[in-house]
Amino acid sequence: MHITATAISLNVEDVPASAAFVKQHFGFHEQMSADGFVSLAHDGAGVNLIFLRTGLASLQPESLRSQRAEGVLVAFVVDDIDAEYARLTEAGVAITTPIQTEPWGERFFQVADPNGVILQLVQWVHGPEATG
């Protein structure tokens, strides 16, 4: 199999709110949109984020139409987690999980977009002692 692109589709109530959030705070840009749909790309992410309005008639199978993006965690690996934490905090973004480092070397924090989609920023470190 040869995969040429990857996208994550998330059902949300307010498509414009989620799109504006990731465009403003995460540097995504719109590739295409229609009523109840937007596809966003990021030059470095390697994945498109697609927001679909809950109840959209084109959602298949039909059982998806009433579901929301819950229990989904979208993670982005970054070079400087502390700088991103400071930048988003300064921009007034509510931090839902404060910055922390796991014993296996994952340093991360989380925010939620206006529809409750959890976005996690991660930096891999050699261990807690490497974080300063």
Side-chain angles (χ1 to χ4, degrees):
M1 170 177 24
H2 177 72
I3 297 173
T4 60
T6 302
I8 298 171
S9 294
L10 302 165
N11 297 353
V12 298
E13 294 291 326
D14 188 345
V15 169
S18 285
F21 185 83
V22 297
K23 285 165 40 178
Q24 178 181 355
H25 298 296
F26 291 87
F28 278 78
H29 59 274
E30 188 174 306
Q31 280 199 318
M32 67 178 104
S33 65
D35 182 38
F37 160 84
V38 66
S39 178
L40 303 161
H42 187 286
D43 294 338
V47 64
N48 279 28
L49 284 180
I50 297 174
F51 293 107
L52 302 166
R53 186 180 62 240
T54 306
L56 199 60
S58 62
L59 283 173
Q60 299 294 327
E62 188 175 330
S63 61
L64 282 178
R65 294 179 190 164
S66 62
Q67 296 182 17
R68 288 189 46 218
E70 293 181 12
V72 175
L73 179 80
V74 179
F76 301 118
V77 177
V78 298
D79 292 329
D80 188 342
I81 195 79
D82 295 297
E84 295 300 331
Y85 187 85
R87 179 184 67 79
L88 290 171
T89 301
E90 186 174 304
V93 175
I95 306 298
T96 57
T97 303
I99 198 164
Q100 53 192 275
T101 304
E102 298 289 0
W104 53 86
E106 178 185 28
R107 187 157 168 81
F108 74 97
F109 69 94
Q110 298 173 341
V111 302
D113 86 347
N115 285 286
V117 174
I118 302 298
L119 303 168
Q120 176 174 290
L121 280 78
V122 175
Q123 180 180 7
W124 292 97
V125 296
H126 294 292
E129 68 281 351
T131 64

